[in-house]
Amino acid sequence: MSWFKRDKPSDQKLPNLSDADRRVRTEGLWQKCESCRQIVWKKELEANWNVCAKCGAHSRLDAVSRLKLLLDGGEYETFDHDLRSSDPLGFVDNKPYRERLVSMEKATHLPEALIAAAGRIEGRPVEICAHEPRFIGGSLGSVVGEKIARSIERAIARRRPLVIVSASGGARMQEGAISLMQMAKIAAGLMRLDEAKLPFISVLTDPTTGGVTASYAMLGDLNIAEPGALIGFAGPRVIEQTIRQKLPEGFQRSEFLLKHGMLDAVVPRLELKPFISQALGFFMG
Ligand SMILES: [Zn+2]
């Protein structure tokens, strides 16, 4: 399984674009919705937090926008921001992991695939983590794991609820078993959070797969997902080959998982904040 999802070769063509000048002027201003295939104005899409106004499809949202959307006034304090992977295995695939980290940082302006922060949701203080899906697929490596573990520690020390917004391809293969160990470390931390009687709300967004689904993303007191999000462990092709059966329509999408008891709710992006606030009110009294 590749953590680097390349976009399919674009077949996007703007209407009536015969002259090159016009193509240059309009390039980047418009985007084709992956779901309804209609052309949408990029600015309008961004203003709507990447939810298509025409069909309601939720495209991926970066970690900074996610925190701005959920936290009061878009304000938050970050923690452990400068933690960086030490490349413990000296891993090289088609390029050295170290180089990959540098290029990812350049592309996303973030040193790792997760922001750990604190802020308020409708007045309630929370510790919150958001995966950055563009940083090596939002994958769970040693730094992401450590940032989450420290967020849990802070939540316990400050008697605050924890929210994690997942958008991740799973464990980071470039850190091998050290990535996998993060699953156990975080799960153990969440048990301590539970013993401290503090809630953990897991928000699963597109995509939440592999080791992230297999650990904390499914360990929330509430597991809520955005509409249409891909959520699963292994990919559908691997499952079909293993069980030698055709998978049903919509398999591994939020709505299917809700119907089969794997999720507590499917909540549209723009309603997430009031929903989480209400849940926190219920949990925290
Ligand atoms: Zn659309």
Side-chain angles (χ1 to χ4, degrees):
M1 170 175 191
S2 168
W3 301 111
F4 307 99
K5 269 203 175 150
R6 294 220 168 78
D7 290 335
K8 282 189 219 129
S10 173
D11 58 351
Q12 179 173 336
K13 279 201 180 70
L14 296 171
N16 308 320
L17 264 188
S18 46
D19 94 64
D21 284 351
R22 203 167 148 216
R23 186 174 293 122
V24 170
R25 268 195 289 126
T26 55
E27 197 166 32
L29 292 178
W30 301 89
Q31 198 171 318
K32 193 184 263 182
C33 171
E34 287 289 320
S35 179
C36 66
R37 312 302 293 165
Q38 294 199 69
I39 306 287
V40 287
W41 195 30
K42 221 173 171 180
K43 268 205 174 142
E44 197 177 83
L45 189 67
E46 282 166 13
N48 205 31
W49 305 95
N50 285 358
V51 177
C52 175
K54 288 173 177 157
C55 74
H58 287 46
S59 13
R60 292 172 192 180
L61 193 64
D62 63 276
V64 169
S65 302
R66 175 66 66 180
L67 293 173
K68 281 190 179 155
L69 168 68
L70 291 180
L71 297 171
D72 294 355
E75 285 174 12
Y76 56 90
E77 182 188 357
T78 59
F79 295 89
D80 308 308
H81 191 72
D82 292 324
L83 280 190
R84 283 176 175 82
S85 173
S86 63
D87 184 16
L89 304 180
F91 197 88
V92 179
D93 48 277
N94 55 3
K95 69 170 159 178
Y97 178 40
R98 249 171 228 282
E99 279 179 24
R100 199 178 289 289
L101 289 169
V102 171
S103 66
M104 282 289 139
E105 180 162 356
K106 239 179 227 166
T108 62
H109 305 289
L110 289 176
E112 255 295 341
L114 179 127
I115 301 179
R120 287 173 180 270
I121 294 180
E122 296 190 349
R124 295 175 187 280
V126 292
E127 298 296 322
I128 181 166
C129 296
H131 279 262
E132 171 54 66
R134 296 170 303 159
F135 195 108
I136 318 189
S139 53
L140 167 68
S142 54
V143 172
V144 170
E146 184 62 21
K147 281 184 167 183
I148 294 176
R150 292 186 191 182
S151 293
I152 297 171
E153 298 294 320
R154 267 196 314 282
I156 295 170
R158 300 159 107 177
R159 303 277 323 151
R160 288 177 174 185
L162 174 71
V163 177
I164 301 178
V165 184
S166 296
S168 175
R172 188 174 297 173
M173 64 173 187
Q174 291 90 343
E175 293 187 18
I178 294 159
S179 280
L180 299 179
M181 284 159 61
Q182 308 308 315
M183 297 165 60
K185 180 166 86 178
I186 295 166
L190 289 174
M191 195 177 75
R192 295 189 49 226
L193 189 76
D194 185 58
E195 284 164 1
K197 301 205 183 313
L198 292 164
F200 163 42
I201 295 180
S202 177
V203 181
L204 298 89
T205 72
D206 187 60
T208 298
T209 58
V212 171
T213 311
S215 61
Y216 53 92
M218 284 294 184
L219 290 177
D221 293 294
L222 269 185
N223 298 325
I224 57 183
E226 288 191 337
L230 173 73
I231 298 164
F233 180 64
R237 196 159 43 99
V238 173
I239 300 173
E240 281 185 345
Q241 283 168 0
T242 308
I243 64 171
R244 292 164 194 279
Q245 278 181 43
K246 192 98 190 97
L247 293 168
E249 183 78 20
F251 179 72
Q252 290 186 324
R253 295 284 166 185
S254 313
E255 294 75 11
F256 185 94
L257 294 172
L258 177 68
K259 211 170 131 193
H260 291 82
M262 297 289 287
L263 293 171
D264 297 303
V266 174
V267 182
R269 186 169 292 164
L270 303 183
E271 294 167 26
L272 268 178
K273 185 175 177 178
F275 188 96
I276 294 172
S277 167
Q278 195 184 6
L280 292 179
F282 172 76
F283 283 120
M284 301 296 281

